[in-house]
């Protein structure tokens, strides 16, 4: 079973350690919805099993 994580940052040009975990879920639909919301963040990133799927959304 895959694990999806959504990370957020308020930095315009984030380094790897500027990302904070927002949510971890086994549901791809929930993760995709969360990564496309932008409330209170500059960038969001989606990973699947540790691999970046969407970077800087």
């Amino acid at each position: 079973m895959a694990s999806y994580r959504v990370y957020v940052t308020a930095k315009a040009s984030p380094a790897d350690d500027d990302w904070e975990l927002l949510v971890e879920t086994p549901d791809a639909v929930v993760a995709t919805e969360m990564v496309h919301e932008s409330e209170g963040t500059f960038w969001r990133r989606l990973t699947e099993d540790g691999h970046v799927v969407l970077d800087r959304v």
Side-chain angles (χ1 to χ4, degrees):
M1 178 182 253
S3 175
Y4 299 92
R5 292 181 177 174
V6 177
Y7 295 89
V8 297
T9 185
K11 306 258 182 172
S13 297
D16 285 337
D17 55 342
D18 291 329
W19 296 92
E20 298 177 29
L21 181 64
L22 176 66
V23 67
E24 182 173 0
T25 179
D27 189 331
V29 174
V30 169
T32 303
E33 288 173 350
M34 295 287 297
V35 81
H36 285 96
E37 294 177 7
S38 61
E39 185 174 328
T41 62
F42 196 87
W43 293 111
R44 292 193 178 206
R45 171 182 281 176
L46 174 63
T47 66
E48 178 183 359
D49 294 332
H51 300 283
V52 176
V53 177
L54 295 173
D55 191 23
R56 295 189 184 188
V57 176

